[in-house]
Amino acid sequence: MSEDLLKHKDNIKKAIEQGVFFLLICGSYQLFGKYYKGVDGNIIPGLEVFDYYTEAIADRKKRCIGNIVIETNLNGNKIKIIGFENHGGQTYGIETPFGNVLFGNGNKFGDTNEGFFLDNVIATYLHGPLLSKNPELADYIIKHCLDRKYDENIVLQPLDDSFENNCREQLLNRFLNT
């Protein structure tokens, strides 16, 4: 997979510069960095789109795995994002994290930061039904894409997210003990 991506490195960089939205989860997050170093020391070159890098820890049984909650800022609004992380790689050199870890591990075991963030790039270890658990994040991505396509500030009609938000509140209460 990395060899296929490397063939398109320049086009991917150009797309990012032109504002195309990228949601990168786990392995794709890692491959957009400088490299991924495996347990055996084998280095898989990344696209070097961003300056971060990832290294596996020696104990293959030890992973950052479980529910995670981060707090991020989307369009000036602080929101909590719920996800599920499952990664052995530890990512270093993040200057603009996706969010602050409130519950879980993040980029490394016990890290205070999770992921990488630009206006049009979210790179994260949050797996699972990320967008359905986080309607505000889904709206952020949709709005970004519509604004880019139509070159204007699109106003989205609000949907009734009460069911999703009730589910979110239950999870946030459970994970954050609030």
Side-chain angles (χ1 to χ4, degrees), residues 111-158:
D111 202 351
T112 58
N113 294 319
E114 199 287 325
F116 173 82
F117 182 60
L118 292 175
D119 289 339
N120 61 315
V121 178
I122 294 175
T124 182
Y125 283 119
L126 277 65
H127 293 77
L130 177 63
L131 298 177
S132 63
K133 281 186 178 178
N134 301 286
E136 286 180 273
L137 177 59
D139 289 347
Y140 175 84
I141 294 170
I142 292 167
K143 182 168 176 11
H144 177 89
C145 294
L146 288 171
D147 286 348
R148 181 178 177 273
K149 179 174 178 149
Y150 296 108
D151 197 26
E152 58 186 79
N153 187 15
I154 300 290
V155 177
L156 297 175
Q157 288 287 9

Side-chain angles (χ1 to χ4, degrees), residues 64-126:
C64 295
I65 187 168
N67 293 304
I68 180 169
V69 178
I70 67 170
E71 185 172 70
T72 192
N73 187 325
L74 297 177
N75 292 329
N77 298 315
K78 284 192 174 193
I79 63 167
K80 292 177 177 69
I81 304 287
I82 300 170
F84 186 86
E85 62 181 331
N86 183 359
H87 58 100
Q90 308 290 286
T91 301
Y92 301 90
I94 300 293
E95 292 185 22
T96 55
F98 179 36
N100 299 316
V101 177
L102 302 177
F103 179 82
N105 287 293
N107 289 322
K108 303 179 284 299
F109 281 104
D111 202 351
T112 58
N113 294 319
E114 199 287 325
F116 173 82
F117 182 60
L118 292 175
D119 289 339
N120 61 315
V121 178
I122 294 175
T124 182
Y125 283 119
L126 277 65

Side-chain angles (χ1 to χ4, degrees), residues 22-41:
F22 284 77
L23 176 60
L24 308 170
I25 297 177
C26 201
S28 57
Y29 168 23
Q30 296 168 347
L31 287 173
F32 270 60
K34 291 180 179 179
Y35 64 84
Y36 176 88
K37 183 178 180 182
V39 173
D40 57 3

